[in-house]
Amino acid sequence: MKHTKNTKSFASRWGFILASVGSAVGMANVWGFPNKLGSNGGGAFLLIYLLFVFIFSYVGLPAEFAMGRRAATGTLGAYENAWATRGRSAGKAGGLLGWLPLAGSMCIAIGYAVIVTYILKALADSLLGTLMTADTAAWFGAFSGTPYSVIPYHIVVVVGTLLTLFLGAHSIEKTNKVMMPLFFLIFLVLAVRVALLPNAAEGYLFMFTPRWEALTDPMIWIWAMGQAFFSLSVTGSGMIVYGAYLSKDEDVVDVAQHTALFDTIAAVVAALVIIPACFSYGLDVGAGPSLLFVTLPTILQDIPLGRLFAIILYVAMIFAGVSSLQNMFEAVAESLMHKFPRLSRTAVLVILCVVCLGFGIGMETIDKWGPWMDLVSIYIIPIGATLGAISWFYVMKKDELLDAVNTGSGKLRGNLWYSVGRYVYVPLAVILCCVALFMHVAF
């Protein structure tokens, strides 16, 4: 099945990797990973997480990159293309199914923009100095519990992110070449500062000393698997569109593993900031969103140059949040332009802005935002990820999938790679989906 639509490409391999890392590096790394690590056995969770990251970056992420590149378009076209290997009518069915994971990208973007809005509010108050003297719990409660209290910040986040998509792959690459190196640099600086705190060593011991008995707890395996899935953005949608912009000369397994490596480094470095700091101050490492907006500001208020470190912390988190939002919006934008060719990029970005703010402004309070994100992470995202996994490894013809994965590869992937995808990756996706649906576990 051929498409006449041309898509812009990333100009370089590292530009693609940094954009993919930008998509993967987000709140799942900055607060999700330290939170899950702190709540689920420390070092034991880390070992299990690394195992799942290896599996997903070997088969799941490369498959999504390859599907986007093969179809030369994003989510809708990729599903149609994969299913069409079984016939024209199957292709139409696949194109319809693709709307669900695409809806997942849009739904999570609506909620995610609220998180980034909170971060921008924290950055502004750090710059003004008010966060350094406030009761952080009361400060966070005031804007997260009051409707329509952060609308200006919300507009800046959504409009600003959409403006970075105006030139498609070109502007995504340019912005991530700045944001991602700075993100890593800032968190390394913060990690060095935290290492100087009293009793920080207890946090390192907790992170890197496995409690082997934790390996017998099935829920720790589930939490680690869910964290790996969502940290790498293997959701059956987002990474497909970046694959559409990938050169046919690149090895998708290699670039996927580089993406996973830097994503994992980002998660571990974030944990090296948050967990030792919490241990030093005797605070809860499993505090959820309040970790970023109550726990960390409390610590920063107490250390020399805390205001400066608060500013650089929230700047880094803005980079992480915007780079992830770029991917969510771009997945939807590209698919809409592919499905409705008369729509210009400008028109699509305006539509996304209206939808995101139209729904998002009404859920700025955490009592509305929280249930929305639970809904998305319990139902839409796990189902979308599972649909993608089944589409690539059970619906699409094996030889055509392997041909797509081996394009540009110096090392041919054959039966072993395919078997890992079909008999390990797909069952794991199904298990995660079933746990989410039947146990109402939000990842």
Side-chain angles (χ1 to χ4, degrees), residues 201-287:
E202 293 181 20
Y204 302 134
L205 286 173
F206 175 79
M207 282 181 63
F208 298 114
T209 304
R211 288 173 36 240
W212 300 113
E213 65 274 15
L215 297 179
T216 62
D217 183 347
M219 281 310 297
I220 290 181
W221 288 79
I222 294 293
W223 283 117
M225 178 167 60
Q227 180 66 24
F229 253 110
F230 298 121
S231 181
L232 291 177
S233 294
V234 190
T235 59
S237 180
M239 288 305 200
I240 293 172
V241 70
Y242 282 1
Y245 304 148
L246 179 63
S247 165
K248 292 187 181 296
D249 297 327
E250 297 294 346
D251 181 337
V252 290
V253 176
D254 184 63
V255 294
Q257 291 181 329
H258 275 83
T259 299
L261 173 64
F262 287 107
D263 178 67
T264 302
I265 291 171
V268 171
V269 171
L272 286 171
V273 172
I274 290 171
I275 290 179
C278 288
F279 269 79
S280 178
Y281 282 80
L283 300 170
D284 180 16
V285 294

Side-chain angles (χ1 to χ4, degrees), residues 65-400:
F65 285 155
M67 289 302 96
R69 183 171 65 180
R70 181 180 191 270
T73 184
T75 308
L76 300 180
Y79 278 81
E80 182 179 355
N81 189 282
W83 281 62
T85 62
R86 299 291 180 180
R88 188 184 182 93
S89 58
K92 291 180 179 179
L96 290 173
L97 280 174
W99 281 101
L100 193 144
L102 190 68
S105 291
M106 189 68 232
C107 289
I108 201 168
I110 292 169
Y112 205 90
V114 177
I115 306 176
V116 185
T117 298
Y118 285 6
I119 294 168
L120 184 58
K121 163 72 172 168
L123 174 60
D125 286 359
S126 298
L127 286 165
L128 294 171
T130 54
L131 183 55
M132 293 297 99
T133 56
D135 176 326
T136 57
W139 166 82
F140 179 57
F143 70 82
S144 67
T146 305
Y148 314 118
S149 62
V150 287
I151 289 177
Y153 299 106
H154 203 158
I155 292 171
V156 169
V157 166
V158 174
V159 174
T161 303
L162 289 170
L163 285 174
T164 69
L165 302 181
F166 195 73
L167 298 177
H170 179 71
S171 51
I172 293 169
E173 179 175 3
K174 291 289 186 185
T175 50
N176 277 282
K177 279 185 173 179
V178 175
M179 290 191 296
M180 284 301 97
L182 284 175
F183 171 88
F184 282 97
L185 179 63
I186 287 171
F187 263 89
L188 282 172
V189 170
L190 290 169
V192 171
R193 179 64 188 88
V194 166
L196 302 176
L197 294 175
N199 302 317
E202 293 181 20
Y204 302 134
L205 286 173
F206 175 79
M207 282 181 63
F208 298 114
T209 304
R211 288 173 36 240
W212 300 113
E213 65 274 15
L215 297 179
T216 62
D217 183 347
M219 281 310 297
I220 290 181
W221 288 79
I222 294 293
W223 283 117
M225 178 167 60
Q227 180 66 24
F229 253 110
F230 298 121
S231 181
L232 291 177
S233 294
V234 190
T235 59
S237 180
M239 288 305 200
I240 293 172
V241 70
Y242 282 1
Y245 304 148
L246 179 63
S247 165
K248 292 187 181 296
D249 297 327
E250 297 294 346
D251 181 337
V252 290
V253 176
D254 184 63
V255 294
Q257 291 181 329
H258 275 83
T259 299
L261 173 64
F262 287 107
D263 178 67
T264 302
I265 291 171
V268 171
V269 171
L272 286 171
V273 172
I274 290 171
I275 290 179
C278 288
F279 269 79
S280 178
Y281 282 80
L283 300 170
D284 180 16
V285 294
S290 64
L291 191 66
L292 297 184
F293 304 107
V294 178
T295 305
L296 284 179
T298 300
I299 294 169
L300 291 165
Q301 286 178 351
D302 192 54
I303 66 174
L305 298 177
R307 181 176 174 183
L308 173 63
F309 286 110
I311 291 167
I312 64 174
L313 169 70
Y314 290 118
V315 166
M317 290 197 295
I318 288 287
F319 290 158
V322 168
S323 59
S324 295
L325 264 181
Q326 282 180 323
N327 178 260
M328 298 168 198
F329 283 140
E330 182 64 15
V332 181
E334 201 288 332
S335 281
L336 289 179
M337 288 188 294
H338 172 77
K339 189 70 176 177
F340 307 104
R342 291 187 178 182
L343 282 177
S344 67
R345 177 168 281 269
T346 301
V348 168
L349 294 182
V350 169
I351 291 169
L352 293 183
C353 183
V354 171
V355 171
C356 190
L357 290 173
F359 284 95
I361 284 174
M363 63 173 72
E364 287 179 347
T365 55
I366 202 162
D367 63 325
K368 293 180 180 176
W369 164 79
W372 172 263
M373 293 301 278
D374 283 349
L375 176 72
V376 174
S377 67
I378 289 173
Y379 300 102
I380 301 176
I381 297 297
I383 292 173
T386 305
L387 273 178
I390 292 171
S391 295
W392 323 142
F393 290 98
Y394 278 88
V395 177
M396 189 175 184
K397 286 186 176 179
K398 175 182 176 180
D399 58 341
E400 301 211 33

